[in-house]
Amino acid sequence: MKKLFLIPSAALSVLGTVSAFAQDAVAATETVVAETQIAGDSMHHVMMQKFLEGGWEWMLPVLLCLVIGLAVAIERILYLSLSTINSKKLIASVEEALKNGGIEAAKEVCRNTRGPIASIYYQGLDRYDQGLDAVEKAVVSYGSVQTGQMESGLSWIGLFIALSPMLGFMGTVVGMIAAFDAIQAAGDISPTLVAGGIKVALLTTLMGLIAAVVLQLFYNYIVSKIDSLVNDMEDSSITLMDILTAYNKK
């Protein structure tokens, strides 16, 4: 349920920004004159003007890749942040509950604690009556399930990282073709003749690279967060087996 809530929340937050951006773009289209002096303009206005000069048919798909990729990345960051707990405190609580109330008390502690480590502990404790081998298999299997849930959505971010510069380069090719078409039609090479096509080529490439760089930063942060959680899960799982082994000898 938490994940279902986080996805639309992250998407609406980012898409709200895009909606405002789109409204500003429409307003800018109506007011921007043929030639505008950029010097002295605000950064927001300059970026808006460059977006329009690059051509919405090529800049908009790249912007959508950036927005959707950011929505997925923000949802993953929120999910992983909620999954992070003090594992040492959980281990101490489970061990204390085992001493005082047995398996059921330890399961209750895990049931009331969020995060993948608590879920793995619960699955292992739930199979304690089947033997330690069954506990170990449950911990390993459910650990893989939790890892898969944490990595959910990374493939989409990777897709948008690869797609953004591709779309930018496609705009580059189209802009260069337009420049050569203008040269062919005029039968002469003039800087002003080809400047428009070359500008589209450069702006779409720049937009694609910016989107890819931003998403790559988020992607690497998420991967490092997942690696940290997986290491914590593995270490905590070993500790659980040690605790149950000692408990079984009593």
Side-chain angles (χ1 to χ4, degrees):
M1 291 297 295
K2 289 182 179 178
K3 183 177 179 180
L4 293 176
F5 173 76
L6 289 174
I7 294 176
S9 298
L12 287 174
S13 176
V14 180
L15 288 176
T17 304
V18 177
S19 177
F21 188 88
Q23 291 175 2
D24 290 344
V26 173
T29 306
E30 296 174 350
T31 57
V32 171
V33 293
E35 294 183 3
T36 303
Q37 294 295 330
I38 297 179
D41 287 346
S42 66
M43 180 63 68
H44 176 76
H45 183 73
V46 171
M47 292 177 63
M48 186 68 62
Q49 184 177 349
K50 293 302 180 183
F51 180 87
L52 296 173
E53 290 175 354
W56 66 268
E57 65 272 23
W58 295 110
M59 301 290 269
L60 185 59
V62 177
L63 180 62
L64 288 176
C65 287
L66 176 61
V67 169
I68 299 174
L70 284 176
V72 177
I74 291 172
E75 184 275 327
R76 284 291 87 194
I77 292 173
L78 292 175
Y79 177 85
L80 294 173
S81 297
L82 292 174
S83 299
T84 304
I85 63 170
N86 188 338
S87 58
K88 293 182 179 180
K89 183 179 179 180
L90 172 63
I91 292 170
S93 299
V94 170
E95 193 169 9
E96 184 67 23
L98 275 173
K99 292 179 181 178
N100 299 328
I103 296 297
E104 290 301 322
K107 287 169 62 177
E108 185 65 23
V109 171
C110 297
R111 190 182 293 112
N112 295 328
T113 306
R114 59 180 171 82
I117 297 176
S119 298
I120 292 172
Y121 270 39
Y122 182 86
Q123 294 297 324
L125 292 168
D126 194 43
R127 289 162 178 78
Y128 176 77
D129 57 346
Q130 301 175 18
L132 292 179
D133 289 339
V135 172
E136 184 176 3
K137 291 180 181 178
V139 168
V140 172
S141 299
Y142 206 69
S144 299
V145 172
Q146 290 294 320
T147 301
Q149 291 178 357
M150 289 189 292
E151 293 176 347
S152 175
L154 283 183
S155 59
W156 286 106
I157 301 177
L159 171 65
F160 294 131
I161 290 173
L163 195 59
S164 297
M166 287 183 184
L167 291 172
F169 291 144
M170 189 180 298
T172 298
V173 173
V174 172
M176 296 304 294
I177 292 174
F180 282 108
D181 284 343
I183 293 173
Q184 183 180 19
D188 185 22
I189 298 179
S190 171
T192 58
L193 197 63
V194 299
I198 294 176
K199 179 183 285 187
V200 171
L202 296 176
L203 288 175
T204 54
T205 300
L206 178 62
M207 183 68 177
L209 292 175
I210 290 175
V213 168
V214 171
L215 292 178
Q216 187 68 56
L217 292 173
F218 277 90
Y219 180 88
N220 284 9
Y221 174 78
I222 293 170
V223 169
S224 66
K225 189 76 171 175
I226 292 174
D227 289 342
S228 176
L229 281 170
V230 169
N231 290 333
D232 200 11
M233 285 164 50
E234 292 175 349
D235 186 53
S236 299
S237 299
I238 294 172
T239 304
L240 174 64
M241 295 306 303
D242 293 339
I243 293 173
L244 291 179
T245 300
Y247 179 78
N248 192 45
K249 292 179 180 179
K250 293 182 180 180

